[in-house]
Amino acid sequence: MSLFDDASTPAAPRTTPRSRRFSAGVWALVIALVALLVLSFLPTGYVIQRQGPVVNTLGSAENADGKDVPLISVNGAKTYPTAGALDLTTVQVVGNRERTPSWFELAQAWFDPAEAVLPIDNVFPQGTTTEQRNEENAALMVDSQKEATAAALTELGYEVRAHVGVGALSEDSAAKGILDVGDEIVSASGSPITDTEKLRSLINERKGQPVELVVRRNGTERTVSITPTRTESTDGPVWIIGITTQRDFDFPIDVKIQLDRIGGPSAGQMFALGIIDTLTPGELNGGKQIAGTGTIDSAGAIGPIGGIRQKLYGARDAGAKYFLAPTDNCDEVVGHIPGDLRVIPVSTLDDSLTALTVIRSGKGVDKLPACAAG
């Protein structure tokens, strides 16, 4: 006797809620993976900023030929042995307009306190190629070395003469046919010119009237007259003669800084300290490892820089216990100091030298200034 009717069709097993949930989960996973794959090929519009190399200004570095050379060398003056380190810190950028980081890389960087995710326009302005940015940073590095040398030698009592030259002329320059690239601007309206700000101020004081310049070319001085043109700015009308200036110095001794493949102006403070240590007896840092960053001008003023948080991590990882940071970067420092690194805010070269004196002595370090929340 049959237990079931051969002519009947067996009923299909009922789908349980659990199996439906499983299927939905599989499809959700597949969709997420496909979306992630698609996103990995889409441009992101962001770059990643992370810590770069840390370089001891008292040590050596590879030059353009790959040879190991002293980072700072001096001819024309007595030099002294150094010890420890005065480290300059750097940042590196991952990505450019030709190849931006993937969304996965950005997500990793977002949760890493040692890295920062930045809009690409903040690093590569519209119309600026990677090559142009590298060229600009290389020029800024050269300028920072000159300013640092001037600041250091002035601090040591040397006489340093500054002068302003013509770096380039714009297409519609009012000075075209009158000035040439390389001309030194000795004076404007009878006042000596040693920096661009003074030249700009004297030109604007004329309010469009011709300005008389004394220019030195190939060792010969001559007087020229240029009528500025008017342009608009957010602060109102500005009068210009259409030149890009470059500042240079006459140094009484030959100081050479050799550092290849690193650009920007932020190593100025540490260059100046390295030069002073090289030219003075004893150890400026007390033989300790001290890191720092900050622009510097020939008067010794230390200015803010970018990537301060990444530089702090670079210094910590390199073994530094002290970090000299521009005071104007303090707001970015508070709450983001890694480990037991001690950050000392400085505004001038004298501030930095005072801090190093205290660190060297080992007395009163706890009384040194610290960054506080603004």
Side-chain angles (χ1 to χ4, degrees), residues 7 19 36 58 68 73 87 105 149 161 174 187 194 196 247 249 253 326 332 344 370:
S19 63
L36 186 61
L58 304 178
D68 207 39
S73 57
D87 289 331
E105 291 174 303
T149 302
R161 177 179 173 271
S187 67
T194 57
T196 302
R247 201 152 91 117
F249 301 90
I253 60 176
E332 301 171 75
I344 304 164

Side-chain angles (χ1 to χ4, degrees), residues 16 29 48 70 111 115 142 160 191 196 230 234 261 270 289 293 303 336 370:
T16 64
L29 179 61
I48 299 169
F111 292 103
E115 299 186 351
V142 172
V160 177
S191 297
T196 302
R230 174 173 168 154
T234 55
R261 294 186 290 276
M270 302 313 291
Q289 183 176 0
T293 187
H336 299 279

Side-chain angles (χ1 to χ4, degrees), residues 15 28 36 38 60 63 77 82 113 128 155 172 174-175 234 239 270 285 307 310 326-327 335:
T15 302
L36 186 61
V38 171
S60 60
N63 63 9
T82 60
T128 301
E155 177 69 29
D172 55 353
T234 55
W239 299 95
M270 302 313 291
N285 53 8
Q310 288 70 50
T327 300

